[in-house]
Amino acid sequence: MNPNVRPAAVAGMFYPASAAILLRDVTQMLSEASQKTLLNPKAIIVPHAGYVYSGPVAATIYAQLSALRDRVRRIVLLGPTHRVAINGLALPTCTAFATPLGIVPVDQKAIAAIEDLPQIVFYDPTHAQEHSLEVQLPFLQTVFGDFSFLPLAVGQATPEEVAEVLERVWGGEETLIVVSSDLSHYQPYAVAKRIDAQTARLILDLDPTIDHQQACGATPVNGLLLAARQHGLRGRLLDLRNSGDTAGDKSRVVGYGAFAFLEGEHDAH
């Protein structure tokens, strides 16, 4: 493997390691989630568990982005750190990430736009085994084809620090912002449904006060909500389920939501 390419760390665990099976599974999830209406969001929040658990929820939103395939060229991808903690927002030093579906280049212009900020650090150990960003890539590869991306593993940071980074790379219609976050963790089914409904309301209200019990990606979520307020976006809930609905037992579930953030009314064609 090219040392400048981060190899897939969770293929065969969170999603299939076989390119053929992975493409089949993602395509099937997208097909089952397809809608007559297509969305043109500026930003989305999607879950990042194993595909058997959260893939159908993620597909709910990815299936509605097909109209953007020829327009979106850059994905700003943010997710929380699960393995190696970090102060700030971590970038990798590699030039690309690999998945079984191919290589996705890291956007060097986007890095150049943010690397002077004090909250930005380069730290490969945070990225090496992190799944929150990687599991989005096969969906993004299937929906968008060719694109570059900015992988930000978000550790200890304020919502304002995240929003400041987003402002630098906000871009135009060529840029889609993707925040990877699950919702509540390991609650009984009924409790999770109540907590996740409350969290969904905060997200739709663009209220950047979500805590890490409500969403593991609370820090990048809150940063996105601040930025969404600054840019006059409105939130839309597309799916709200948990692992008890998809593939798990109902005594101890993880919550998943799919949210889109749109500019004005005219974008929901």
Side-chain angles (χ1 to χ4, degrees), residues 3 26 31 51 106 171 209 224 229 231 238 242 254 267:
V26 171
S31 174
Y51 282 10
V106 173
T209 60
L224 172 62
R229 283 192 155 198
H231 286 268
L238 298 177
N242 63 53
V254 177
D267 283 330

Side-chain angles (χ1 to χ4, degrees), residues 110-171:
I111 288 179
I114 62 171
E115 62 185 341
D116 65 303
L117 291 171
Q119 64 268 42
I120 293 292
V121 295
F122 286 89
Y123 196 61
D124 290 322
T126 292
H127 281 276
Q129 298 296 320
E130 182 52 57
H131 66 270
S132 70
L133 305 181
E134 180 184 325
V135 298
Q136 305 303 338
L137 291 177
F139 276 106
L140 293 166
Q141 288 170 291
T142 304
V143 172
F144 292 112
D146 283 341
F147 63 93
S148 61
F149 84 124
L150 181 66
L152 288 160
V154 182
Q156 292 291 321
T158 65
E160 290 77 12
E161 286 171 332
V162 175
E164 183 180 24
V165 172
L166 290 176
E167 194 59 40
R168 292 269 186 105
V169 291
W170 194 259

Side-chain angles (χ1 to χ4, degrees), residues 68-259:
L68 305 184
R69 182 179 178 94
D70 296 328
R71 189 186 310 165
V72 169
R73 288 286 168 262
R74 180 175 72 173
I75 308 287
V76 178
L77 180 55
L78 304 90
T81 58
H82 291 85
R83 300 295 189 95
V84 178
I86 190 79
N87 285 318
L89 292 79
L91 289 168
T93 61
C94 64
T95 57
F97 279 40
T99 80
L101 300 185
I103 302 290
V104 184
V106 173
D107 194 297
Q108 299 303 317
K109 285 184 179 175
I111 288 179
I114 62 171
E115 62 185 341
D116 65 303
L117 291 171
Q119 64 268 42
I120 293 292
V121 295
F122 286 89
Y123 196 61
D124 290 322
T126 292
H127 281 276
Q129 298 296 320
E130 182 52 57
H131 66 270
S132 70
L133 305 181
E134 180 184 325
V135 298
Q136 305 303 338
L137 291 177
F139 276 106
L140 293 166
Q141 288 170 291
T142 304
V143 172
F144 292 112
D146 283 341
F147 63 93
S148 61
F149 84 124
L150 181 66
L152 288 160
V154 182
Q156 292 291 321
T158 65
E160 290 77 12
E161 286 171 332
V162 175
E164 183 180 24
V165 172
L166 290 176
E167 194 59 40
R168 292 269 186 105
V169 291
W170 194 259
E173 63 180 14
E174 81 295 333
T175 300
L176 176 70
I177 295 163
V178 178
V179 172
S180 178
S181 181
D182 296 338
L183 299 178
S184 64
H185 279 60
Y186 310 132
Q187 299 287 346
Y189 184 85
V191 176
K193 288 204 69 145
R194 188 174 72 247
I195 294 171
D196 294 340
Q198 292 167 346
T199 306
R201 174 42 54 199
L202 292 174
I203 290 172
L204 294 176
D205 288 344
L206 307 182
D207 184 339
T209 60
I210 292 161
D211 66 36
H212 288 90
Q213 277 62 55
Q214 294 169 297
C216 58
T219 305
V221 166
N222 286 333
L224 172 62
L225 297 179
L226 267 184
R229 283 192 155 198
Q230 291 162 0
H231 286 268
L233 304 187
R234 58 191 175 82
R236 183 184 294 186
L237 174 64
L238 298 177
D239 201 354
L240 190 64
R241 285 185 270 174
N242 63 53
S243 55
D245 297 312
T246 53
D249 113 36
K250 295 200 174 184
S251 64
R252 194 168 173 267
V253 306
V254 177
Y256 312 124
F259 301 85

Side-chain angles (χ1 to χ4, degrees), residues 3-42:
N4 287 325
V5 177
R6 175 197 178 274
V10 296
M13 292 181 281
F14 280 71
Y15 60 84
S18 155
I21 296 171
L22 175 58
L23 183 59
R24 181 199 70 193
D25 286 1
V26 171
T27 302
Q28 183 175 340
M29 285 188 283
L30 291 170
S31 174
E32 289 172 356
S34 66
Q35 303 281 331
K36 288 192 177 70
T37 56
L38 297 177
L39 292 176
N40 178 17
K42 179 61 188 179

